[in-house]
Amino acid sequence: MRNRQSTTYCILAILFVLLSLGRTAGNAPTNLSLQEDGSLVVFDAKGGVADFVKQGTPRQAIQLDGQSCNVSYGFNSAGKQTILVSLPASATTPIIFLLGDSQVTIPPKSGLRIALNESHKIEKMDGAPAGTVQFQNISSRQQPPTQLSPTPIPIPAQVVAPTPQIVEPAPPPIPTQNPQTSQPSPAKNLEPIESNISLVQPAPTSTVADPMAGQGNALSSPPTEIGWPGKLLQSPLTEPQMEEDYFYVRTEGGARFVSSMNIVNIVGSGGSSNPMIQKEIAFSTGYRQDLDIGVWLTPWFGLAIETGFALNAIRGNTEGMTVSSSTYWSVPIMAQLCFQYPNDTGFIPYLNFGFGGGWNYFDIGSISYPPANTRTFNATLSGSGNDMNNAYQIAAGVRWRIWEQLGLTLAYKFYGTSQPTVDMGDNQQVTFGSPVTNSIELGGNFSF
């Protein structure tokens, strides 16, 4: 009878332990792992790879603790690479996951900011805003199920431990029992229990050796990016909000003012005696439109290319000169060195130095000028032509970050080229003075 009771207690104890282990595994937090190259891997409760974020990804949506959140790589004001894990504005419940030796809890409308050192190791973790994220150190955290071995399943010795609770009737009957029959009974009763344990015990799989084996299937359908243009910013900006995406597109447009220029030389139609040589032409206020594509290599320095177009109407600037239906076009094609000053106000001053080429095009309906003190000869210049020249530019402005990935810009640009020599046709080749322009422009900045 006692043998049956002992067997029953052992079976019940084993079932209780197994059910507790199953319940614990089912409620295990999501595991977030930082790889050697700085990439992030999300393991689900079963140990499979749920998401993978490559190091340097500007923004990607992942699933943590059953909720969607955003992961962004960037740089802080000290130039160190950072990872921002944040909940969307629509989130109403916190997320809990394991990272390193800590259990991390991110409440709604908050984020986790991770600063990395040069070896892609975690240097610092903090909330965004500061103090909102909870960290709980755990001495021994549960590993993803893919790394579990059969050791967590209780061994028979551990299960038999409660059996001393069975109270023997009295010491006197013990001598009457055969010790050889009473001692082996627990072992005999445990033999079928061990066989039952082996049936419910999870068989080791190949994922124990390689937890990344399921990465290909997990990434077969990459998550889509959401939330552009990001959150509406308010001054002062937090440190994570000061971090920006690497790439940007900027378009600006505004008024262009061209300084007066001389007609330096004319070949043909009177040759060097043409009375229009060294005469001055002027320009009405025109319009300029630019497009910049750039990348920030550090928080304060980047590279960009710029192109666009601009036009101004030509008017006479010399007494007696008549101008009609004449325009001046230009197209800059330049590389730029870009500098900016990040700060928490949201207003980012910047300074760009450009160099490259400038395409100049003159479309002259008619420019006529009579020679001095005579009306017997009237020189007329007409036709159209273009020339490609060296160009330079200095641009200074300020960028107002309204959203995380969208802002407005105000800029002043000083632009000039070398002297264009234009073939007007009809054996007329005209050399103009070096164009110098000043522009005031408004625009938008889009980062991604």
Side-chain angles (χ1 to χ4, degrees):
M1 182 69 178
R2 284 193 298 270
N3 291 340
R4 292 181 180 178
Q5 290 179 347
S6 177
T7 303
T8 303
Y9 289 145
C10 290
I11 294 175
L12 291 177
I14 293 173
L15 290 177
F16 176 77
V17 172
L18 291 177
L19 289 175
S20 299
L21 289 175
R23 189 181 302 109
T24 302
N27 298 332
T30 305
N31 190 292
L32 189 62
S33 176
L34 182 65
Q35 304 302 297
E36 294 182 356
D37 64 347
S39 301
L40 283 178
V41 178
V42 181
F43 293 96
D44 57 24
K46 297 181 180 179
V49 177
D51 275 301
F52 175 78
V53 185
K54 186 177 180 182
Q55 188 268 342
T57 302
R59 185 179 294 266
Q60 180 174 321
I62 64 172
Q63 292 290 325
L64 275 179
D65 196 22
Q67 295 193 60
S68 176
C69 60
N70 296 323
V71 175
S72 302
Y73 281 80
F75 293 92
N76 58 20
S77 56
K80 298 206 173 196
Q81 189 173 48
T82 60
I83 306 174
L84 180 63
V85 182
S86 60
L87 281 168
S90 58
T92 57
T93 58
I95 58 172
I96 303 175
F97 58 92
L98 301 179
L99 177 59
D101 294 329
S102 300
Q103 178 173 288
V104 183
T105 303
I106 303 178
K109 299 181 181 179
S110 301
L112 170 66
R113 180 178 59 248
I114 307 171
L116 306 180
N117 58 21
E118 296 179 355
S119 302
H120 301 295
K121 303 296 183 183
I122 297 178
E123 184 175 275
K124 181 181 177 183
M125 292 194 298
D126 194 8
T132 56
V133 176
Q134 298 179 3
F135 302 93
Q136 181 180 0
N137 293 328
I138 49 178
S139 57
S140 60
R141 62 184 178 91
Q142 183 178 355
Q143 299 295 330
T146 54
Q147 299 178 357
L148 287 177
S149 63
T151 55
I153 299 178
I155 59 177
Q158 293 174 329
V159 179
V160 177
T163 57
Q165 296 176 0
I166 302 176
V167 180
E168 297 292 337
I174 296 177
T176 61
Q177 296 177 357
N178 188 352
Q180 295 180 353
T181 59
S182 60
Q183 298 265 349
S185 59
K188 291 180 180 179
N189 294 331
L190 290 178
E191 289 179 358
I193 299 174
E194 293 179 358
S195 62
N196 291 336
I197 295 175
S198 62
L199 292 177
V200 298
Q201 177 177 340
T205 62
S206 60
T207 56
V208 176
D210 184 11
M212 297 294 291
Q215 177 178 331
N217 294 334
L219 300 178
S220 58
S221 57
T224 57
E225 298 183 7
I226 58 174
W228 193 92
K231 297 180 180 178
L232 183 66
L233 301 179
Q234 294 182 353
S235 179
L237 305 183
T238 63
E239 187 173 343
Q241 291 174 335
M242 291 172 57
E243 300 171 3
E244 298 189 71
D245 295 329
Y246 297 118
F247 299 95
Y248 69 90
V249 174
R250 182 181 303 164
T251 179
E252 297 169 320
R256 183 177 83 152
F257 308 92
V258 182
S259 301
S260 300
M261 69 176 69
N262 290 335
I263 299 176
V264 177
N265 189 31
I266 299 177
V267 176
S269 184
S272 59
S273 61
N274 193 305
M276 274 193 288
I277 296 177
Q278 297 304 321
K279 296 303 181 290
E280 192 174 74
I281 59 175
F283 303 85
S284 301
T285 302
Y287 178 77
R288 175 173 173 172
Q289 182 71 45
D290 294 320
L291 178 66
D292 293 47
I293 301 176
V295 57
W296 292 111
L297 304 179
T298 72
W300 57 270
F301 174 73
L303 301 174
I305 57 174
E306 178 176 291
T307 187
F309 71 92
L311 72 157
N312 293 78
I314 302 175
R315 58 182 176 84
N317 200 39
T318 302
E319 184 179 356
M321 179 179 288
T322 303
V323 180
S324 64
S325 304
S326 300
T327 54
Y328 164 55
W329 295 73
S330 62
V331 175
I333 305 174
M334 294 181 295
Q336 295 192 107
L337 302 176
C338 308
F339 302 87
Q340 68 172 5
Y341 176 66
N343 59 82
D344 62 359
T345 65
F347 291 89
I348 313 298
Y350 65 88
L351 182 65
N352 298 345
F353 297 93
F355 54 90
W359 182 73
N360 294 300
Y361 176 76
F362 292 84
D363 184 8
I364 298 177
S366 174
I367 299 179
S368 59
Y369 178 73
N373 301 323
T374 179
R375 297 181 180 277
T376 59
F377 176 77
N378 185 273
T380 301
L381 182 65
S382 64
S384 61
N386 64 85
D387 193 16
M388 191 71 180
N389 305 99
N390 296 326
Y392 59 90
Q393 177 175 272
I394 299 176
V398 63
R399 178 164 53 91
W400 178 26
R401 295 186 62 203
I402 303 177
W403 288 273
E404 288 179 323
Q405 296 174 283
L406 176 62
L408 298 179
T409 62
L410 173 64
Y412 163 77
K413 298 183 179 181
F414 178 83
Y415 169 84
T417 71
S418 57
Q419 292 183 348
T421 299
V422 179
D423 188 356
M424 294 289 185
D426 295 333
N427 297 322
Q428 286 184 327
Q429 192 176 64
V430 182
T431 300
F432 294 92
S434 298
V436 176
T437 71
N438 298 268
S439 303
I440 301 293
E441 303 180 23
L442 289 172
N445 189 94
F446 313 89
S447 60
F448 57 95

